Amino acid sequence: MSLIHLENIEKTYHAGAPLHVLKGISLDIERGEFVAIMGASGSGKSTLLNILGILDTYDSGEYWLNGTLIKHLSENRAADYRNRMIGFIFQSFNLIPFKNALENVALPLFYQGVGRRRRNALAMEYLERLGLKEWAHHLPSELSGGQKQRVAIARAIITQPQIILADEPTGALDSQTSAEVMDLLRQLNDAGMTVVVVTHESGVAYRTHKIVHISDGVIGRIETNLDPAATPFGEGGLMK
Amino acid sequence: MWDSMQEIFANLRRNKLRTALTGLSVSVGIFLLIVLLGAGNGLIHAFEHNAGNMALDVVRLWPGFMSKPYDGLGQGHTVRFDNRDLRLTSAGFPGRVLRSTGELSQSSVRVTAGSENATGELRGVFADYADMNKVVVTDGRFVSPLDLSERRKVMVVGRKTAADLFGDARRAVGRLVVADSTVFRIVGVYADRGQMGSMTAYVPFTTLQLIYNKGVNVESILMRTRGVDTEEADETFRADLRRSMGALHRFAPDDESAIWIYNSTTGAKESAKAMGVLRTALWLVGLLTLLSGVVGISNIMLITVKERTHEFGIRKALGARPWSILRSVLLESVIITALFGYVGLVLGVVATEYMNVVAGQQTVTVADLEMPVFLDPTVDLGVALRALAVLIVAGLLAGFVPARKAVRVKPIEALRAS
């Protein structure tokens, strides 16, 4: 079975007038894939990612993650899945503002019950790997956008999750740092992690290996893009 | 655990002003509770102290005047007690009246010893007057039954009078004094509890009757009783007294003003009831003050939770279990209440001790008796600790509602909150 298996996922929001966001999504993502979910705003792509990350629930259909049906999970089990299986990268970074870079990176390990000394050492190791060793004791407000996103990436991967879910990871960054971030994600994919990126930017989507076009709550075309360097938007090409 | 504590203290430090204000409402709440209870205790202790002037099994009778004509005597006729009343009350209520004694007094008596003199009242009493009225003899002895039967000219004076006459109270026993023109021997000195003004000296009842030509008159009657301490028994006893004495003095058995009856047991009960009401009222006010502190915490926790919703969303996305978030909010609330509650408690205890020093000795002089108005205005440590426990539980509850709200929000909704 695939790492992620979606079958006829439907989701309706009931805020005022009911809004049918996902109208039957079926999708398989294999272990080790580098996938982009692309669509205009309002197409339902973020909702889909939130469901994949167990941050949101769905109304009908089935979502199998690593062979487990993700439905009606207890809060505790959902928390544990998010903690051990999934790493999140957000457009707005979502770093905790009153914690320094090191503490932010170490936080997922805190929820695994790892001791302070060990988790700080690990966090420092990951920050160093991302070239942020000197910034470890700075607050997020003292970091640039690119640095913040790298801190967020370090935080996402410190638990060595199987899946990285990135929601518009370059949305708040300029084109050069965007390229750096996408490069980092590719490196993670090369190291064996499954990476799913949600974006509306072609320059981001075409740096992945598989592009799932979604519009108006349904999946349109699925493109394979095995050689990102060859496309005009791919690596080395236009970013934004 | 240590990690979560550090997180909480970091959070409290981030919002210093808010933490301080919340804490203040808690501190003030418990401070007021302690001070109120302390002040109330001061009043109650003073009252109990003053009420402790008479033994609880004593019933006292004073003559009054007739409120309506009866048996040939007109309205307003004054009743006078005499030795017959003593005999009647002694023998007439077997099982209820154990002993009946009389009291007489002669005022404006000048007592001299050498060149010193004191003016005041001589009170003719029976031997067990001291016991019934809690007169404490510090030197020598009180009037004895033998003094009464032999009509001895002996006297028991207050410490102050003794000191005035002889310089030192201890030197007074055995000395002779002249009261008006009669020589008395001082046989005892009693503690007059800082009595001010004119003196009161005790002499045998029979002696006073004889010397001051009182005939068989008795001013008031003091009885030791048994089994009249319930309201019902008291009512019956009063009715029986009025009927028997009415037959003797020719007043109507239902004439309430012909004799005045004071039963110290029921009197004590009345005052105990009043004290109970006072105590309840104080607790009520104190607890309401405390409640306003708790509402303050609850409010602040609601705001805190609202402000931190986004942060909680991040934490949930990173794998925080609901309990870890719930616990951090609850602990924060409990720490604020416990910490500031303790501060308020300590300040409250300090304040009551200060009250004790400043106002604890205040007295008011009623007639010639000095009474404390405020005595030992302090609070039991047990009560204080119980109040703190109530506060901590309240803090837990105050934190629980917002905390549960924080936990119930879906992670994605929490992340969307700004």
Side-chain angles (χ1 to χ4, degrees), chain B residues 195-272:
Chain B
Q195 220 172 65
M196 307 267 276
S198 60
M199 66 148 204
T200 299
Y202 298 110
V203 297
F205 176 82
T206 47
T207 314
L208 192 84
Q209 249 184 347
L210 183 70
I211 289 175
Y212 287 97
N213 215 7
K214 302 279 188 187
V216 291
N217 283 350
V218 175
E219 272 169 24
S220 68
I221 296 173
L222 282 157
M223 296 177 289
R224 299 225 88 149
T225 58
R226 183 191 286 162
V228 294
D229 51 354
T230 63
E231 217 162 297
E232 209 177 318
D234 179 56
E235 281 303 313
T236 322
F237 186 52
R238 280 167 193 267
D240 292 349
L241 272 173
R242 289 210 165 88
R243 201 175 49 248
S244 327
M245 297 187 80
L248 187 66
H249 294 282
R250 290 158 63 197
F251 61 79
D254 59 349
D255 194 339
E256 296 267 323
S257 69
I259 55 171
W260 300 105
I261 305 170
Y262 176 77
N263 185 340
S264 52
T265 329
T266 49
K269 246 179 214 159
E270 291 285 305
S271 59

Side-chain angles (χ1 to χ4, degrees), chain A residues 50 52-56 65 73-88 108 112 156 159 161 163, chain B residues 313-322 410-412:
Chain A
N50 291 335
L52 289 180
I54 329 179
L55 295 175
D56 207 347
L65 175 64
L73 285 188
S74 74
E75 277 287 337
N76 282 341
R77 281 194 66 197
D80 290 350
Y81 271 107
R82 288 194 288 264
N83 187 245
R84 291 169 192 274
M85 289 282 294
I86 302 164
F88 289 99
Q112 284 187 5
T159 57
I163 308 165
Chain B
I314 299 173
R315 287 172 184 271
K316 281 186 164 181
L318 298 180
R321 287 179 162 212
K410 266 199 281 185
I412 189 62

